[in-house]
């Protein structure tokens, strides 16, 4: 049970973490390059949450890399609980931010071209899509680690 | 491990399910009583999802009630997995709908009074708040049942 692909200390976990960091970074970049994102609360919320996800994912990717290279398995129940909780909270916040952004972009597209020129609006859309991708990867990490937890408690 | 408050077949579970059904119903009512909710995609999404949560929660409340009255514990692993999966999917959709609605209401409030008169807008706000409450109760149900699962597999 201790080698579930995607749980901490596996190569799949590094891939998931790097995926999260890349998706979050591109989400922030596409949003920040658009002019005037700070006039919408939902867009500011997205940038804030993505700004939290990037260091979290990057740190855990480094931890995974160290764990694989030094052959030091991270299977302490307490540490894993903190990681699962962090992933769960961040994935909930990411989903909320991504769906808020998507709904605002949808409204702006319907409302008027002056609110959202096509060039800017497509950036917002890509940003929301990247945030959804980041959410999916976060949830996958969280669930695979949660799956590992009972087998650790049983030891 | 088999009497975790909130897991299937306990009184707390009935309370959670009824809470979900009541919150979802009031969310739909507050949204539908407002005129013209169908012109916003996010509001239609909220009504659709709440329309799915109500029968799901109500059916599971009845199942819980039967389980308690007939002293027939629902602890089959397969059935519990379906219930956990259903709860998880519905809670994700509820969170997405609630945050979309909240962000749209926030934007409408900022934009112009003509888009959203205060009397109508406060209804939308209450509807979003009720949806968030319903999401929280759904997630609690899902997590408590997930907590119960490993102890069933161990039997």
């Amino acid at each position: 049970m201790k080698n579930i692909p995607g749980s901490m200390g596996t190569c799949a976990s590094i891939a998931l973490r790097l995926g999260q960091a890349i998706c979050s970074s591109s989400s922030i970049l596409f949003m920040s390059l658009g002019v005037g994102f700070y006039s919408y609360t939902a867009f500011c919320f997205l940038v804030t949450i993505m700004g939290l996800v990037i260091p979290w994912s990057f740190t855990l990717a480094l931890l995974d890399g160290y764990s694989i290279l030094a052959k030091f398995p991270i299977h302490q129940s307490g540490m894993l609980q903190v990681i699962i909780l962090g992933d769960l909270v961040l994935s909930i916040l990411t989903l909320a931010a991504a769906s808020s952004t998507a709904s605002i972009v949808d409204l702006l597209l319907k409302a008027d071209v002056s609110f959202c020129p096509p060039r800017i609006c497509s950036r917002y859309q890509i940003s929301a899509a990247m945030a959804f991708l980041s959410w999916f990867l976060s949830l996958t990490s969280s669930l695979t680690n949660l799956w590992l937890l009972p087998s650790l408690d049983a030891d």
Side-chain angles (χ1 to χ4, degrees), chain A residues 2-155:
Chain A
K2 286 208 174 176
N3 280 321
I4 302 166
S7 64
M8 285 297 288
T10 58
C11 290
S13 177
I14 298 187
L16 280 174
R17 298 293 174 193
L18 288 181
Q20 288 160 28
I22 291 167
C23 288
S24 310
S25 308
S26 49
S27 175
I28 272 198
L29 280 178
F30 276 107
M31 183 57 81
S32 310
L33 292 176
V35 185
F37 80 89
Y38 38 80
S39 52
Y40 301 103
T41 317
F43 294 174
C44 295
F45 182 46
L46 183 80
V47 169
T48 312
I49 300 302
M50 292 295 109
L52 286 173
V53 171
I54 295 169
W56 170 265
S57 299
F58 199 69
T59 311
L60 289 180
L62 288 180
L63 194 65
D64 272 332
Y66 171 74
S67 160
I68 290 173
L69 287 178
K71 298 195 192 309
F72 169 75
I74 307 162
H75 285 147
Q76 294 162 12
S77 179
M79 195 174 168
L80 210 63
Q81 278 170 15
V82 172
I83 293 173
I84 291 167
L85 197 70
D87 270 331
L88 209 62
V89 169
L90 279 180
S91 73
I92 287 172
L93 290 174
T94 309
L95 175 62
S99 47
S100 303
T101 306
S103 63
I104 292 289
V105 173
D106 178 70
L107 188 68
L108 289 179
L109 272 173
K110 272 188 186 171
D112 203 342
V113 182
S114 66
F115 277 120
C116 191
R119 201 177 55 86
I120 303 283
C121 234
S122 61
R123 277 185 188 169
Y124 292 153
Q125 282 175 319
I126 296 172
S127 175
M130 285 294 159
F132 273 115
L133 212 59
S134 168
W135 159 71
F136 183 73
L137 297 175
S138 264
L139 192 70
T140 310
S141 283
S142 181
L143 289 182
T144 46
N145 282 323
L146 196 63
W147 199 252
L148 186 74
L149 201 58
S151 69
L152 291 184
D153 286 338
D155 290 346

